[in-house]
Amino acid sequence: MPETVKPPISQSTWRRCSLVLGVLILLLSLCTVGDYGMSWDEDFRFKGGDSKLSYYTELLRQESPQQRRSSYPGLFDLPLAAVHQALPDWGTRSQKGHVWSLCFGLLGLLSVWRLTARIGGERAGFWALLFLATLPRYYGHMFFNPKDIPLAGTYAFGVWALVALFSELPKVSRWSVVWVGLAAGLAMSTRIAGFLILVYLGLFVALYLLILSIKRFRGWSVLSRDLLNWALRGAVAGLLAFALLFVFWPTIHVNPFASVGNSVSQVQSFGWSGMVLMDGLFWEAQDLPIYYLPYWFFRTTPEYLLLLMGGGLLLGLMRIYSCVRQREWPEPASFLPLVVLAFSGLFPIVYIIAKDPVLYDGLRHILFTLPPLLAMAALCFEWCLRWGERQGRRMVPFVLQVGGALAVLIVAIQMWQLHPYQYTYFNPLAGGLAGAYNHDETDYWGLSHKEAGEWLNAYAATLDPDGAEVFKVHQRYSRWMLEEALDSERFEMSQSREGADFFVSVTRFNLHVSYPEAQLLHTVERQGVPLCFIYRFSQGSSE
């Protein structure tokens, strides 16, 4: 934790700056959420939501519904299905889903801001909010990712709850225990991996009690009483969490323990057999190199954040070494929140690498670790600023903050250039998006189909101004992404090439080169890099 030094700008001023920044982020997000196309996995989540909603509808009718089996709890898809059923004319399901996904992304931003401010002060909270809001791989996913952003937002909320609880030691309020339980329940209700919040609670309570026993052992009766008190608190948090999970996951209604165990096992041994483009080669998803996650992390995270995250980890290790060497440990309330934060960001990554499960889609599977890692980066930045202030050199923090603002601005400009495909960002170490083309996955979620569909709508109007002809569009994979953007009166989707007029494809799996004889009409591009291709078949072409 950065040492306490009074900054030249007050805490309340920095808090107001954070509020203004938060309002700007909210307004920008609401203004641009409609620019994002339908993504690959949304249709699957829609079906899951309909299934859960049907289950509860049958239950409320006092019928005997069949058990719905799903490895995904329904905090995202069940409310979305209910809202879409109640308000079918208020936009498409995908548009409603994007707003709902944005809510989870904003929850992550709020959580990172407040947990960082709790540890390092309001200035650190401001920079944490700014860093995460301009992290392309987080910001871009906020608007369309129905699987990973809900977990990222609720996981960050859970880490915030844990930081607040351990900051209150040795006396913990009942509200903090309830908060942890509710946060864990929300996280578990998005993905079962949210159970980690409860695991962290038990782990760090055990560490806290061990530290107390080592520093000042007060007898077995006191230790027994502490164990009982914390066991009751853990039980309250656990019961609240599983009560929420019970509501949003009908799968556990018959056999909760077996369902949770089966879900965890299924997630860890998921057998997707697709091909993954990485480092210029196509790899089987089940046989990726062990450095897959570090490879994507270091190529898609802005360099200044990589530097700050590495610096934060180094500072933490140095602090631990100093405490061990001097045998002087600070009070648990001052260092346990930092340890919780670092552990919540690093442990899942280390665990996934060690378990070596099937991975794909870049950082998708560790997206939830980015908020706590960005909080670590902001705390490292705060330590650097306070170091300059301790040295009596006020120009040092000024220069550092100007440099930080410029670094953020450069990335923000690139995000504006990529809009609405910010999640395709690659840092200069990777050569940017241009360096990733044909080397790594770019628009693997298929967002650019929306822009391709809008172009085809305009093109059809030039080919047939009267609107008498219906054109067939061939696509070799998830056709719903393009179909939603096409004029249904002018186009119909075709699974077969035979009789099709157009072929549309993103670069995933190299499907865009399936028909070299087809005429290239248009490409959706960003920064000069093609993301989606539109071809026209010559008359009479067939399989």
Side-chain angles (χ1 to χ4, degrees):
M1 177 178 177
E3 297 178 23
T4 302
V5 177
K6 185 177 180 180
I9 301 177
S10 68
Q11 295 287 326
S12 59
T13 301
W14 280 110
R15 186 184 179 92
R16 286 193 290 269
C17 290
S18 297
L19 288 171
V20 171
L21 176 61
V23 171
L24 291 175
I25 294 168
L26 176 61
L27 293 176
L28 177 64
S29 300
L30 292 175
C31 290
T32 59
V33 66
D35 298 339
Y36 293 81
M38 189 176 183
S39 62
W40 198 291
D41 281 347
E42 287 185 66
D43 188 64
F44 300 110
R45 297 312 304 270
F46 296 163
K47 292 175 181 176
D50 288 339
S51 175
K52 295 178 181 71
L53 184 61
S54 175
Y55 173 87
Y56 277 112
T57 301
E58 295 169 13
L59 198 64
L60 290 174
R61 290 174 181 168
Q62 297 183 341
E63 299 176 3
S64 298
Q66 294 182 349
Q67 185 186 16
R68 268 48 171 191
R69 296 188 179 276
S70 171
S71 59
Y72 286 96
L75 181 59
F76 180 86
D77 52 36
L78 179 57
L80 179 60
V83 170
H84 186 63
Q85 185 180 82
L87 304 169
D89 298 326
W90 286 32
T92 66
R93 176 92 70 103
S94 177
Q95 289 169 337
K96 296 185 184 78
H98 290 176
V99 175
W100 189 217
S101 177
L102 175 61
C103 292
F104 286 99
L106 293 174
L107 175 63
L109 289 171
L110 170 67
S111 301
V112 163
W113 167 37
R114 297 317 305 153
L115 76 86
T116 309
R118 182 137 194 164
I119 295 174
E122 294 294 343
R123 181 173 60 184
F126 170 84
W127 284 103
L129 176 61
L130 183 60
F131 287 165
L132 186 59
T134 54
L135 180 65
R137 291 279 163 169
Y138 182 85
Y139 182 87
H141 278 270
M142 284 203 314
F143 296 89
F144 65 87
N145 187 330
K147 290 184 176 180
D148 308 296
I149 280 294
L151 174 60
T154 52
Y155 183 79
F157 187 59
V159 175
W160 178 19
L162 289 171
V163 165
L165 183 145
F166 287 108
S167 296
E168 295 177 353
L169 293 174
K171 294 183 178 180
V172 175
S173 67
R174 296 174 182 175
W175 161 241
S176 293
V177 176
V178 171
W179 183 3
V180 171
L182 293 176
L186 292 174
M188 292 165 63
S189 297
T190 58
R191 299 283 287 270
I192 198 62
F195 182 68
L196 285 172
I197 300 300
L198 293 179
V199 173
Y200 298 158
L201 175 63
L203 175 65
F204 287 102
V205 164
L207 178 60
Y208 167 64
L209 294 177
L210 177 62
I211 292 171
L212 283 187
S213 299
I214 293 175
K215 291 186 68 172
R216 49 181 183 273
F217 184 69
R218 294 172 294 174
W220 292 108
S221 60
V222 175
L223 178 60
S224 299
R225 185 185 62 195
D226 288 342
L227 285 171
L228 178 60
N229 287 337
W230 279 106
L232 291 174
R233 292 166 181 162
V236 169
L239 287 173
L240 285 172
F242 277 94
L244 272 175
L245 182 64
F246 190 84
V247 172
F248 290 104
W249 199 18
T251 298
I252 68 172
H253 288 187
V254 175
N255 191 334
F257 297 105
S259 298
V260 171
N262 291 337
S263 179
V264 172
S265 177
Q266 185 177 5
V267 169
Q268 290 184 345
S269 59
F270 183 64
W272 190 66
S273 57
M275 301 298 292
V276 175
L277 178 60
M278 170 190 168
D279 203 14
L281 300 172
F282 277 98
W283 305 72
E284 291 186 10
Q286 300 184 20
D287 192 30
L288 285 170
I290 195 171
Y291 59 88
Y292 178 78
L293 288 180
Y295 175 90
W296 274 90
F297 187 81
F298 284 105
R299 289 173 66 85
T300 61
T301 304
E303 295 99 321
Y304 72 94
L305 291 177
L306 291 174
L307 183 63
L308 287 174
M309 282 185 272
L313 180 60
L314 180 61
L315 287 172
L317 294 174
M318 291 173 60
R319 183 72 180 275
I320 292 173
Y321 173 76
S322 175
C323 291
V324 170
R325 186 176 180 182
Q326 298 176 10
R327 297 183 180 180
E328 293 182 4
W329 292 91
E331 288 300 312
S334 65
F335 78 89
L336 271 182
L338 264 176
V339 178
V340 168
L341 178 64
F343 193 82
S344 65
L346 295 172
F347 169 74
I349 299 175
V350 175
Y351 179 81
I352 291 174
I353 292 175
K355 291 291 291 184
D356 193 25
V358 173
L359 297 172
Y360 49 92
D361 293 351
L363 295 181
R364 250 202 61 193
H365 299 94
I366 62 165
L367 198 66
F368 69 98
T369 67
L370 297 183
L373 290 176
L374 265 291
M376 286 176 54
L379 290 171
C380 176
F381 192 56
E382 175 68 15
W383 184 92
C384 295
L385 298 177
R386 293 191 185 186
W387 176 85
E389 291 164 351
R390 288 197 304 272
Q391 302 302 312
R393 301 172 182 175
R394 293 192 176 273
M395 283 302 295
V396 172
F398 174 77
V399 170
L400 286 175
Q401 290 182 94
V402 169
L406 288 175
V408 167
L409 179 62
I410 291 171
V411 174
I413 291 173
Q414 292 177 306
M415 291 171 66
W416 174 75
Q417 293 172 343
L418 291 171
H419 180 80
Y421 316 118
Q422 291 92 342
Y423 87 103
T424 63
Y425 169 87
F426 285 82
N427 62 31
L429 292 175
L433 183 59
Y437 182 58
N438 284 335
H439 193 270
D440 296 301
E441 302 281 5
T442 53
D443 184 23
Y444 53 81
W445 278 98
L447 299 190
S448 51
H449 286 106
K450 180 178 186 291
E451 195 171 336
E454 292 170 347
W455 187 91
L456 270 175
N457 290 335
Y459 184 70
T462 64
L463 291 179
D464 180 31
D466 297 330
E469 185 177 358
V470 176
F471 299 98
K472 288 187 176 182
V473 182
H474 169 50
Q475 202 171 17
R476 292 185 56 187
Y477 47 87
S478 310
R479 287 172 290 282
W480 53 82
M481 296 180 290
L482 179 63
E483 187 174 15
E484 184 178 67
L486 291 174
D487 183 347
S488 59
E489 296 182 358
R490 305 298 305 269
F491 295 94
E492 64 179 40
M493 300 300 298
S494 174
Q495 187 172 1
S496 170
R497 170 186 169 172
E498 186 172 359
D501 300 290
F502 302 101
F503 170 61
V504 178
S505 178
V506 292
T507 60
R508 194 172 196 187
F509 310 130
N510 262 359
L511 293 179
H512 65 292
V513 297
S514 298
Y515 308 108
E517 71 281 4
Q519 176 192 358
L520 179 63
L521 291 179
H522 181 71
T523 57
V524 176
E525 298 182 354
R526 287 298 183 273
Q527 296 183 339
V529 177
L531 301 175
C532 190
F533 295 77
I534 303 172
Y535 295 92
R536 184 168 188 181
F537 292 126
S538 60
Q539 295 296 325
S541 64
S542 60
E543 294 283 1

